[in-house]
């Protein structure tokens, strides 16, 4: 998306921020918000859950694909998902932003609108309470999010037990399919599957479902980098193995099959695979949880396997070892 008008450096930091921050709303938990040296928030629990994440231009996103609104929205949702995966309700965010000399004021204001639109998913429980603006060679977005446990115990990755059910709360593979469509040379491919592209650009994980699952989960995490990779992390930290069942994952693959076929038919090869997207694609920001056997599954949560005693490999697909593949934030 092309943004016109004055650049941020032409306007100056104070005026640029004043215009952008005017779209942000207040939350009940914020005592002192943006505009002071630091923010002050109130929580019901003395324990604070904190997470941070960074998005770098041309590594984590491309401006040719993502608008400022998309990036603001995604920056909130990716961080909030980490809090929900711990069983915490998101309450406050700080946003540090590096912009280039060419970045337009219109982009910054669109970015702020995206931040607020994502926060509205939790309205009135979450607020952007501050941050920083600096100049660099490319856009870098760093968000720190704070969550409230509301008296509950945090849900960790390290506490899965043999016999637990392995559950996914949300979608699998849609964001990876969207990325493949955006990256495909023929732009009509992406235009044909707007739902998949939107999951990549503006992920909308079901946080209410995530918090509900967290209440009975023995272990839980955000699926940000791919099912195989994140399941491996959970298995290793819990000193168990996970056996995924392919038949239980078929529904996720079925909804992506047509998109894979579309890419393959246009390119003349078979590089696109719905199963690769489901097993190794990240950024849906759904939740991988382990629950005691016999647990009632909330709507939107699906059993995909079982936790077993630690064996030679951390994760299996049926009886075969499943390699840990997915997004690496350093190597890409």
């Amino acid at each position: 998306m092309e943004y016109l008008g004055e650049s941020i450096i032409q306007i100056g930091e104070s005026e640029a921020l004043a215009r952008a921050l005017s779209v942000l709303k207040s939350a009940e938990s914020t005592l002192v918000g943006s505009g002071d040296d630091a923010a002050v928030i109130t929580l019901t629990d003395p324990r604070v859950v904190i997470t941070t994440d960074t998005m770098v231009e041309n590594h984590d996103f491309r401006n040719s694909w993502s608008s400022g609104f998309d990036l603001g929205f995604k920056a909130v949702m990716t961080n909030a998902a980490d809090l929900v995966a711990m069983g915490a309700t998101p309450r406050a965010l700080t946003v540090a932003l590096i912009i280039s000399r060419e970045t337009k004021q219109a982009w910054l204001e669109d970015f702020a609108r995206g931040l607020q639109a994502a926060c509205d998913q939790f309205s009135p429980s979450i607020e952007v309470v501050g941050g920083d603006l600096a100049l660099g060679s490319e856009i870098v977005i760093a968000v720190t999010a704070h969550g409230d446990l509301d008296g509950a115990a945090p849900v960790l990755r390290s506490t899965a037990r043999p016999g637990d059910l392995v559950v996914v709360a949300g979608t699998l593979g849609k964001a990876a399919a969207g990325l493949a469509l955006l990256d495909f040379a023929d732009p009509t491919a992406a235009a044909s599957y707007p739902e998949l592209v939107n999951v990549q650009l503006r992920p909308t994980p079901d946080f209410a479902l995530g918090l509900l699952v967290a209440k009975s989960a023995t272990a839980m995490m955000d699926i940000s980098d791919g099912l195989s990779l994140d399941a491996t992390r959970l298995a290793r930290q819990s000193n168990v193995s996970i056996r995924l069942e392919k038949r239980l994952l078929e529904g996720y693959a079925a909804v992506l099959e047509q998109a894979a076929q579309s890419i393959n038919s246009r390119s003349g090869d078979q590089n696109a695979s719905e199963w690769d997207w489901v097993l190794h694609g990240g950024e849906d920001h759904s939740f991988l949880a382990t629950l005691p056997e016999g647990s009632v599954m909330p709507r939107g949560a699906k059993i995909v396997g079982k936790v077993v005693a630690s064996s030679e490999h951390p994760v299996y697909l049926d009886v075969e070892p499943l390699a840990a593949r997915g997004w690496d934030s350093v190597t890409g």
Side-chain angles (χ1 to χ4, degrees):
M1 177 180 291
E2 183 179 3
Y3 290 91
L4 304 176
E6 295 176 294
S7 66
I8 295 171
I9 63 169
Q10 287 175 311
I11 295 173
E13 179 183 8
S14 296
E15 178 61 20
L17 286 175
R19 295 184 192 179
L21 295 177
S22 66
V23 306
L24 301 179
K25 303 175 185 176
S26 299
E28 293 180 0
S29 58
T30 302
L31 301 180
V32 178
S34 179
D36 220 303
D37 289 320
V40 181
I41 63 173
T42 181
L43 303 174
T44 63
D45 197 305
R47 301 163 299 168
V48 182
V49 182
I50 303 173
T51 187
T52 191
D53 188 62
T54 303
M55 297 164 58
V56 180
E57 184 180 355
N58 297 321
H59 181 71
D60 298 295
F61 66 89
R62 298 184 196 175
N63 281 320
S64 58
W65 294 346
S66 299
S67 66
F69 187 101
D70 293 333
L71 294 170
F73 193 97
K74 190 170 187 176
V76 173
M77 300 303 271
T78 55
N79 280 271
D82 285 335
L83 296 178
V84 171
M86 299 286 290
T89 301
R91 297 295 187 201
L93 305 166
T94 56
V95 182
L97 183 63
I98 297 175
I99 49 96
S100 71
R101 291 185 175 277
E102 294 74 32
T103 306
K104 302 296 186 182
Q105 174 66 19
W107 181 94
L108 180 62
E109 293 178 21
D110 202 28
F111 176 78
R113 284 190 289 271
L115 291 174
Q116 187 57 53
C119 289
D120 285 343
Q121 299 285 331
F122 303 103
S123 183
S125 69
I126 188 170
E127 180 182 345
V128 178
V129 296
D132 189 35
L133 183 65
L135 185 66
S137 60
E138 58 192 358
I139 295 174
V140 180
I141 303 161
V143 175
T144 300
H146 302 74
D148 193 342
L149 287 167
D150 295 312
V155 186
L156 309 179
R157 300 180 181 184
S158 57
T159 46
R161 306 169 302 196
D164 285 347
L165 302 172
V166 179
V167 173
V168 170
T171 62
L172 283 177
K174 288 188 174 183
L179 180 60
L181 290 161
L182 285 166
D183 200 31
F184 191 58
D186 183 352
T188 63
S192 299
Y193 299 93
E195 180 202 354
L196 301 180
V197 170
N198 285 339
V199 174
Q200 167 59 221
L201 297 180
R202 301 181 192 179
T204 53
D206 189 335
F207 294 123
L209 174 62
L211 290 171
L212 182 60
V213 171
K215 290 181 179 179
S216 53
T218 55
M220 187 163 155
M221 66 182 296
D222 167 29
I223 307 175
S224 57
D225 298 327
L227 177 62
S228 64
L229 182 54
D230 289 327
T232 296
R233 290 166 173 160
L234 190 150
R236 285 178 173 162
Q237 289 196 236
S238 291
N239 194 30
V240 297
S241 290
I242 288 176
R243 292 192 181 273
L244 301 172
E245 294 188 40
K246 190 171 184 178
R247 66 178 181 86
L248 299 177
L249 294 165
E250 287 177 349
Y252 298 107
V255 300
L256 305 174
E257 184 177 2
Q258 187 177 22
Q261 291 176 348
S262 179
I263 291 175
N264 290 333
S265 65
R266 295 173 195 230
S267 64
D269 56 38
Q270 298 297 312
N271 289 333
S273 166
E274 64 269 26
W275 279 105
D276 278 348
W277 296 337
V278 168
L279 294 173
H280 310 299
E283 296 193 291
D284 284 60
H285 294 288
S286 298
F287 303 99
L288 177 66
T290 59
L291 279 72
E293 191 169 14
S295 297
V296 177
M297 291 299 109
R299 184 174 181 179
K302 180 175 174 56
I303 299 170
V304 297
K306 197 164 187 177
V307 179
V308 298
S310 180
S311 59
E312 183 179 0
H313 298 280
V315 180
Y316 295 82
L317 182 62
D318 294 332
V319 297
E320 297 296 324
L322 182 63
R325 290 168 43 203
W327 175 253
D328 186 304
S329 60
V330 176
T331 62

